[in-house]
Amino acid sequence: MVAKYKQYFQNDLQFEEFSKYHVIQLNDTHPIIAIPELIRVLVDENSIDFEKAVEITKNTFAFTNHTVLQEALETWPKDIMLEVCPRCFEIIEQLNENVVKEFKKKGLSEEAIDPYRIIRFDQIRMANLAIVMSKSVNGVAKLHTQILKDDTFNNWYKLMPEKFNNKTNGITPRRWLVYSNIRLSNFITEKLGTGDWKYDLTKLKGLEKFLDDEKTLEEINQIKYENKKDLAKYILENEGISIDPNSIFDIQIKRIHEYKRQHLNLIHIINLYHELKNNPDMDFYPTTFILGGKAAPGYFRAKAIIKLANEIARVVNNDPYVNDKIKVVFVNNYRVSYGEKLFPAADISEQISTAGKEASGTGNMKFMLNGALTLGTYDGANIEIFENAGVENNYLFGAKVEELNEIYNSYNPKEFYHTNEDIKDAVDALLSGELKDNDSYMFLDIYNSLINPQGGEKADNYFVLKDFEDYKKTHEKINKEYADRLTWARKSLKNIANAGYFSSDRTILEYAKDIWKL
């Protein structure tokens, strides 16, 4: 970038207009080393005064935060930084000194300055570096941005509120509808009489005039059924599991993490399996639960959740007493090409993260665009899905972030474990031997994470047991309401018609207008 600027602006080697032609949007804390690197290039290779280079850099960078989890608000050890890029560390030290001097001028004590330091205890706090050295800080959903202001970056927000803004994530309709769901794409073009919606997704709103047209609703159901048949065929070929396209396809596909609560889904499946075993004549619409996702290499508990999903699938799918009513699939190697088959076929989109923990999510948008109904907490972009399509056309459950904040210090999951038989039944199955796990210590770790605090970690840190009963009741409601196929199709069409807001076209235009000033 600097080389090109020098090529085209040979008469301005002071880089006066560099930030007019360049914006670097930092994608979370991982690439923030680019900040001192630009200063290094300007100062060391182009003889720019340090303070001037700092101002140029501040006007060039913008910072997008994607999570409130501490594990992604990176800190980099000084010794590694010195080994890998010592000059960048020197620059970061100078930037830290500037911050400290600025706050001392304002009369702050050493202790009061601590939250703002870029370097503390030989750790480089990359988020602080990004906030200090960026012209804009944004979250990726309304609630997420509010949490950044109220909590995660509250000290910074009080100092510089003008920097903070929201840019709700989006998805590309060309990939996630036009390409991956040709049947639905052709249907939309036929109903709207034009293909212009592909380039302006808000035009999907025109589908609302068909909400009470029975023929259109039947077409919606038929398209979904054909997509489900395609997925069933693919799963049989790739997973060796036969699933019924007439069953409810309940799908949770995303990175494996405790806050995303795949284990809430799995504990509910265990409880449901036991209910069907004990009461084979219970009124129940056959359901196929499909999960998929990958875990970080060193994330032991996430690996255990994958193991648990596969053990449950093995037991349930091989039980002749229930496998005509319930099937479980953990798809191998979940990826974009698999997603192109899963999103069009879903009836239910599981978006069940602990309220306040999911910054946005985009899988929820892909499901919505393809006509799935959201079963979700009041979290991330779920909130905007409920606002756009109507909460009555989706399934909201669980405690909200305000309630969880209130009970955080007093919460005791054992109260739920000992008073709710369904919870105790399902959680105990982790250790009962029923799942015949060869690595029982993996399931013991999940069990302990829910019931027994360990090593300074709170038990059930993500409120799985608190939300279980509401989650179970909401599933029961879904199971009853799915049988009314026309009403379900109407809800599905309402979601499709209101998915336009979640186009990445809108997101990028907002970045361009508000941050990049294009």
Side-chain angles (χ1 to χ4, degrees), residues 14-217:
Q14 291 302 303
F15 297 88
E16 297 287 354
E17 294 196 308
F18 186 82
S19 61
K20 178 180 176 181
Y21 295 99
H22 302 92
V23 182
I24 301 172
Q25 192 74 41
L26 294 163
N27 189 36
D28 233 329
T29 49
H30 320 307
I32 287 169
I33 194 68
I35 290 172
E37 176 64 7
L38 177 57
I39 295 173
R40 185 194 69 78
V41 170
L42 291 173
V43 173
D44 295 1
E45 297 181 7
N46 292 278
S47 303
I48 301 296
D49 175 76
F50 182 82
E51 294 305 329
K52 182 165 186 174
V54 168
E55 285 310 304
I56 293 168
T57 301
K58 277 184 176 179
N59 290 322
T60 300
F61 281 92
F63 172 44
T64 299
N65 171 272
H66 285 276
T67 181
V68 298
L69 298 182
Q70 286 303 311
E71 65 200 54
L73 297 175
E74 291 179 298
T75 59
W76 289 17
K78 172 183 174 180
D79 56 348
I80 292 177
M81 182 80 83
L82 282 171
E83 183 180 341
V84 176
C85 38
R87 177 61 178 131
C88 284
F89 178 74
E90 286 179 1
I91 291 167
I92 292 170
E93 278 190 311
Q94 287 180 269
L95 296 173
N96 184 58
E97 287 172 15
N98 287 353
V99 169
V100 172
K101 282 179 189 173
E102 185 180 336
F103 282 115
K104 281 185 175 176
K105 280 182 188 174
K106 294 178 179 180
L108 272 71
S109 67
E110 292 284 345
E111 186 179 0
I113 295 170
D114 279 350
Y116 303 97
R117 294 179 193 274
I118 298 171
I119 303 174
R120 189 164 185 255
F121 300 139
D122 289 338
Q123 295 285 321
I124 299 132
R125 301 195 280 192
M126 303 305 278
N128 280 6
L129 175 58
I131 294 169
V132 168
M133 293 299 298
S134 294
K135 63 181 179 179
S136 164
V137 179
N138 74 277
V140 290
K142 285 180 184 176
L143 177 63
H144 172 229
T145 298
Q146 199 58 49
I147 290 170
L148 295 184
K149 293 177 181 179
D150 294 344
D151 183 17
T152 314
F153 299 142
N154 178 251
N155 56 329
W156 290 109
Y157 176 67
K158 287 176 182 174
L159 282 180
M160 45 188 75
E162 72 285 350
K163 273 193 183 186
F164 285 76
N165 61 95
N166 179 61
K167 298 287 173 282
T168 296
N169 278 339
I171 57 167
T172 169
R174 268 80 64 187
R175 163 69 76 177
W176 295 113
L177 178 52
V178 179
Y179 176 77
S180 63
N181 196 345
I182 295 169
R183 293 184 184 97
L184 183 57
S185 180
N186 290 341
F187 163 86
I188 293 169
T189 299
E190 179 191 336
K191 293 297 176 184
L192 297 181
T194 174
D196 290 353
W197 62 271
K198 298 172 186 176
Y199 312 102
D200 179 3
L201 209 60
T202 61
K203 291 185 176 179
L204 291 179
K205 193 79 172 168
L207 293 171
E208 288 197 335
K209 64 186 176 189
F210 299 103
L211 285 172
D212 297 313
D213 180 58
E214 191 169 315
K215 179 178 178 293
T216 299
L217 298 180

Side-chain angles (χ1 to χ4, degrees), residues 238-352:
N238 288 272
E239 316 293 347
I241 301 172
S242 175
I243 60 175
D244 180 6
N246 289 298
S247 65
I248 300 170
F249 277 18
D250 180 302
I251 304 183
Q252 185 182 24
I253 41 174
K254 53 182 73 242
R255 183 168 52 90
I256 309 298
H257 198 292
E258 287 167 275
Y259 87 82
K260 294 179 184 287
R261 300 201 296 191
Q262 285 91 351
H263 50 335
L264 172 58
N265 189 350
L266 295 171
I267 288 168
H268 171 256
I269 292 170
I270 293 171
N271 175 245
L272 184 60
Y273 170 60
H274 289 170
E275 286 188 333
L276 289 168
K277 285 277 282 184
N278 294 328
N279 184 10
D281 297 324
M282 68 182 277
D283 185 19
F284 181 78
Y285 203 106
T287 302
T288 301
F289 294 96
I290 301 172
L291 299 94
K294 295 175 182 178
Y299 194 171
F300 176 83
R301 195 167 293 157
K303 300 286 189 184
I305 289 170
I306 294 174
K307 173 75 171 171
L308 178 62
N310 281 281
E311 288 299 321
I312 292 170
R314 182 182 58 77
V315 171
V316 170
N317 298 344
N318 288 295
D319 189 331
Y321 294 101
V322 301
N323 65 15
D324 60 335
K325 295 179 180 176
I326 179 175
K327 285 282 180 74
V328 182
V329 181
F330 189 92
V331 301
N332 281 296
N333 193 20
Y334 170 58
R335 58 202 183 279
V336 168
S337 56
Y338 218 137
E340 289 165 0
K341 297 171 178 62
L342 290 159
F343 290 112
D347 294 306
I348 286 292
S349 159
E350 294 258 1
Q351 307 298 328
I352 60 177

Side-chain angles (χ1 to χ4, degrees), residues 260-491:
K260 294 179 184 287
R261 300 201 296 191
Q262 285 91 351
H263 50 335
L264 172 58
N265 189 350
L266 295 171
I267 288 168
H268 171 256
I269 292 170
I270 293 171
N271 175 245
L272 184 60
Y273 170 60
H274 289 170
E275 286 188 333
L276 289 168
K277 285 277 282 184
N278 294 328
N279 184 10
D281 297 324
M282 68 182 277
D283 185 19
F284 181 78
Y285 203 106
T287 302
T288 301
F289 294 96
I290 301 172
L291 299 94
K294 295 175 182 178
Y299 194 171
F300 176 83
R301 195 167 293 157
K303 300 286 189 184
I305 289 170
I306 294 174
K307 173 75 171 171
L308 178 62
N310 281 281
E311 288 299 321
I312 292 170
R314 182 182 58 77
V315 171
V316 170
N317 298 344
N318 288 295
D319 189 331
Y321 294 101
V322 301
N323 65 15
D324 60 335
K325 295 179 180 176
I326 179 175
K327 285 282 180 74
V328 182
V329 181
F330 189 92
V331 301
N332 281 296
N333 193 20
Y334 170 58
R335 58 202 183 279
V336 168
S337 56
Y338 218 137
E340 289 165 0
K341 297 171 178 62
L342 290 159
F343 290 112
D347 294 306
I348 286 292
S349 159
E350 294 258 1
Q351 307 298 328
I352 60 177
S353 59
T354 309
K357 298 298 183 185
E358 185 72 77
S360 169
T362 55
N364 48 5
M365 303 169 191
K366 295 162 194 167
F367 279 119
M368 179 193 191
L369 183 61
N370 282 278
L373 278 52
T374 299
L375 166 60
T377 49
Y378 200 72
D379 193 34
N382 291 355
I383 296 170
E384 287 148 285
I385 288 175
F386 296 142
E387 287 174 354
N388 280 273
V391 71
E392 70 279 6
N393 297 302
N394 292 283
Y395 294 93
L396 171 64
F397 83 97
K400 294 185 178 179
V401 65
E402 295 84 3
E403 180 185 352
L404 297 181
N405 287 340
E406 282 180 16
I407 68 167
Y408 184 79
N409 291 322
S410 61
Y411 176 61
N412 180 6
K414 285 187 177 179
E415 292 177 8
F416 292 93
Y417 174 77
H418 288 300
T419 58
N420 186 310
E421 289 184 11
D422 291 330
I423 288 174
K424 190 172 189 307
D425 168 70
V427 172
D428 284 352
L430 297 175
L431 301 183
S432 69
E434 175 186 13
L435 299 172
K436 298 175 183 175
D437 171 36
N438 294 326
D439 300 305
S440 59
Y441 65 94
M442 296 182 80
F443 294 173
L444 175 61
D445 180 66
I446 298 174
Y447 178 92
N448 283 331
S449 76
L450 295 171
I451 303 297
N452 300 314
Q454 311 167 70
E457 179 184 48
K458 287 171 66 70
D460 196 15
N461 206 31
Y462 297 101
F463 300 97
V464 170
L465 303 192
K466 173 169 177 52
D467 278 348
F468 178 88
E469 188 62 25
D470 197 12
Y471 181 66
K472 176 182 167 68
K473 286 179 178 175
T474 308
H475 264 289
E476 290 169 354
K477 184 180 180 188
I478 289 168
N479 199 266
K480 286 185 175 68
E481 293 183 353
Y482 185 81
D484 184 348
R485 302 302 300 125
L486 288 182
T487 300
W488 189 277
R490 188 179 188 280
K491 291 178 179 180

